[in-house]
Structures are given as C-alpha cells and as structure tokens.
Amino acid sequence: LLLDLEKAYDKPDGVQRGLIAEIISRFEKKGFYLRGMKLMDVKKALGEQHYAEHEGKPFFPGLVKYICSGPVVAMVWEGPNVVASGRQMIGATKPHESAAGTIRGDYALTVGRNLIHGSDAVESAKKEIALWFPEGLSQWKSCQHPWIYE
Ligand code: DAT
Ligand code: MG
C-alpha cells in the first residue's frame, strides 16, 4: 500500500457553479480516502502563501484575487499515487488542453477559472496540507477497503 497525499480544493468557481459534489464524487468513487474537508473563505495572506511559487508572474495578482473571491472547499485525499492520479483526473492547467473526461476538460473553459487545484508533488502536498489544515487530518478505514486495496 503506497500512501501519497494530495491536497485538492474546489476553487471559488467550483462552489459558485454547484460542482462541489461532482468533483468530490470523482475522487470518492475512485477509492481515495478523504482525510480532511472544509468550506472556507480564503484570506489574502493564505492565497498569497498558497501560490507563492507564482509570485512575480503577471497573472499572480489576479490569481490571488480569484482564490479569495468566495469560499472554496479544501480537501485532502490519500491513496496510492494520488498526486499523479489526481493531477490526471483534474486535467491540464489550460482547459483547452485538458482531456475530455477530466474535471477541467469537462467543466472549464479558461485558465483563470479552472475549478480545482491539486498539489503537483508529495512534497508540495505536505506543505499545502500544513498550510490549509493546521488542525490535522482524520484517520479512518473504509469497510470497502479490501475490495479496493489489494
Ligand atoms: P495548476 O493549477 O495546474 O497546478 P500552475 O501551478 O501552473 O497550474 O498555475 C496555478 C494557477 O495559476 C493555474 O491553475 C491557473 C493560473 N495560471 C497558470 N498559468 C497561467 C497563465 N499563463 N495565465 C493565467 N493564469 C495562469
Ligand atoms: Mg500548480
């Protein structure tokens, strides 16, 4: 059993557009473990810290404004290779390049409204989880576990 962690969240447009359940259900049905989830308003400092790697780029101010523009649903998903699988399920950054069948490929049109964030590596997932879930995560075991995990 490989344990990887991915922090994923619906961006404000996912909440505004009523896609919370649709997005969660893809990760849930795949068999990943939900370890943490909350609806939250994003303060500017958190938005800036979360996107610190993009500071200085021309789209940075708009990106931070967007992420702070309404509540997001922050989630932590765990499972074998969840970072790589999760990025595949989310789709490419630019929706016109994201494959049909991915979240962005199915529901998004523009890069600045691409619905969902997913950590790009286990290391960044750990940092993002510490940033978004300082209260810690939940550990539990599904009754379906042996039917999904060998
Ligand atoms: P991802 O969200 O797929 O990890 P990223 O980390 O490269 O993509 O960028 C973070 C977000 O910044 C991305 O979801 C949307 C925005 N962004 C990235 N490149 C952009 C660009 N060229 N123009 C406008 N927004 C951009
Ligand atoms: Mg990224």
Side-chain angles (χ1 to χ4, degrees), residues 9-86:
Y9 62 78
D10 280 23
K11 289 176 173 175
D13 43 345
V15 176
Q16 290 290 340
R17 292 177 56 196
L19 292 170
I20 299 170
E22 167 61 33
I23 290 173
I24 294 170
S25 75
R26 292 186 178 214
F27 289 89
E28 189 180 36
K29 287 174 192 162
K30 177 87 171 163
F32 291 130
Y33 270 97
L34 184 60
R35 296 296 190 200
M37 179 167 68
K38 59 188 172 184
L39 179 80
M40 58 185 287
D41 296 324
V42 184
K43 297 269 188 298
K44 193 171 177 214
L46 176 60
E48 285 175 344
Q49 248 183 302
H50 175 73
Y51 280 128
E53 64 170 307
H54 298 296
E55 210 175 336
K57 295 180 186 168
F59 58 81
F60 181 75
L63 183 61
V64 171
K65 200 170 165 200
Y66 158 61
I67 211 60
C68 297
S69 64
V72 303
V73 175
M75 304 176 270
V76 178
W77 293 96
E78 186 180 72
N81 301 301
V82 67
V83 171
S85 288

Side-chain angles (χ1 to χ4, degrees), residues 53-54 87 117-118 120:
E53 64 170 307
H54 298 296
R87 297 278 295 185
H117 167 84
D120 60 13

Side-chain angles (χ1 to χ4, degrees), residues 78-137:
E78 186 180 72
N81 301 301
V82 67
V83 171
S85 288
R87 297 278 295 185
Q88 270 185 349
M89 291 161 65
I90 289 168
T93 304
K94 296 182 176 146
H96 68 276
E97 293 170 358
S98 9
T102 65
I103 294 165
R104 288 168 174 168
D106 286 350
Y107 298 115
L109 286 173
T110 60
V111 69
R113 300 286 184 272
N114 63 7
L115 283 172
I116 176 166
H117 167 84
S119 315
D120 60 13
V122 175
E123 274 316 300
S124 35
K126 284 182 186 157
K127 261 193 253 167
E128 290 171 8
I129 289 165
L131 189 61
W132 289 80
F133 288 88
E135 69 275 24
L137 303 173

